[in-house]
Amino acid sequence: MQLITRHIRDIPDFPKPGILFKDLTPLLGNHEALSFACRELVRPFRDAGITAVLGMEARGFVFGALAAHELKVGFVPLRKPGKLPAATDSVRYDLEYGSAELHMHVDAIGPDDTVLLVDDLIATGGTAAASLELARRAGARIAGCAFVVELDFLAGRDALGETRIHSLVHY
Ligand code: AMP
């Protein structure tokens, strides 16, 4: 995992004073570290019968799409309001900094799907909990969530109930 941690840098006071932002752009910029991270993200879920990977805007798009490619399944984007062109379902939720709303196309997944949620980082767990809610409402089975980084001190996994959570590095 040092290959991953070496490519994560701390940016203090971004986007607000008091937030220590984990910047994963160096990881995105390194092919060896990025492909290792994506293989590790999906490793526990290779035999879980995943039919779709859900990724949250915006950094979840990168890791989610690469995870979907690893699993040879499709990718479903969960987006901020006003971005998805067709009919959507939506959930409002609180962030570590501010509040937000996530949308998913209503025809993206259904009861025949088993989904994996992927994001770059879990902080308070609000984003992931909202994403799980969208998947549940669509009737999909949830295999678990995968994150590159988990901020343990914010106890985000407590917001996700019994859901299987796989995080590559913890701070
Ligand atoms: P949360 O809903 O609190 O779990 O926040 C998770 C989302 O916010 C993820 O999509 C992250 O990209 C972003 N995020 C929250 N806190 C941080 C942080 N300290 N460093 C980097 N990204 C963060």
Side-chain angles (χ1 to χ4, degrees):
M1 290 303 154
Q2 274 183 7
L3 180 58
I4 294 176
T5 51
R6 270 210 311 275
H7 292 92
I8 297 175
R9 64 182 169 191
D10 288 348
I11 310 287
D13 301 318
F14 182 89
K16 276 188 180 181
I19 303 287
L20 183 63
F21 192 85
K22 295 289 180 188
D23 179 19
L24 274 67
T25 57
L27 178 62
L28 297 180
N30 183 281
H31 174 258
E32 191 192 359
L34 180 62
S35 61
F36 174 71
C38 292
R39 282 197 307 277
E40 285 299 312
L41 274 176
V42 303
R43 193 169 43 79
F45 301 101
R46 285 205 184 267
D47 300 319
I50 308 286
T51 59
V53 172
L54 274 53
M56 299 82 126
E57 185 165 351
R59 290 175 290 271
F61 288 0
V62 181
F63 293 101
L66 290 170
H69 183 72
E70 279 289 329
L71 292 172
K72 298 185 169 53
V73 299
F75 173 75
V76 175
L78 306 186
R79 299 211 63 178
K80 292 168 186 164
K83 301 286 188 184
L84 288 170
T88 64
D89 189 13
S90 67
V91 175
R92 263 207 94 69
Y93 65 101
D94 294 323
L95 280 177
E96 188 185 1
Y97 35 84
S99 86
E101 194 174 302
L102 269 187
H103 287 241
M104 180 176 73
H105 274 149
V106 290
D107 60 357
I109 52 171
D112 293 336
D113 284 299
T114 298
V115 301
L116 173 66
L117 251 91
V118 173
D119 204 356
D120 65 332
L121 179 145
I122 177 167
T124 66
T127 309
S131 306
L132 288 175
E133 175 64 18
L134 287 171
R136 262 189 218 109
R137 280 193 207 162
R141 199 180 80 79
I142 293 153
C145 300
F147 304 98
V148 181
V149 175
E150 180 168 353
L151 301 182
D152 292 338
F153 57 95
L154 291 171
R157 60 172 57 222
D158 294 351
L160 308 186
E162 297 297 299
T163 308
R164 182 175 184 188
I165 299 162
H166 173 56
S167 302
L168 303 188
V169 297
H170 295 256
Y171 293 98

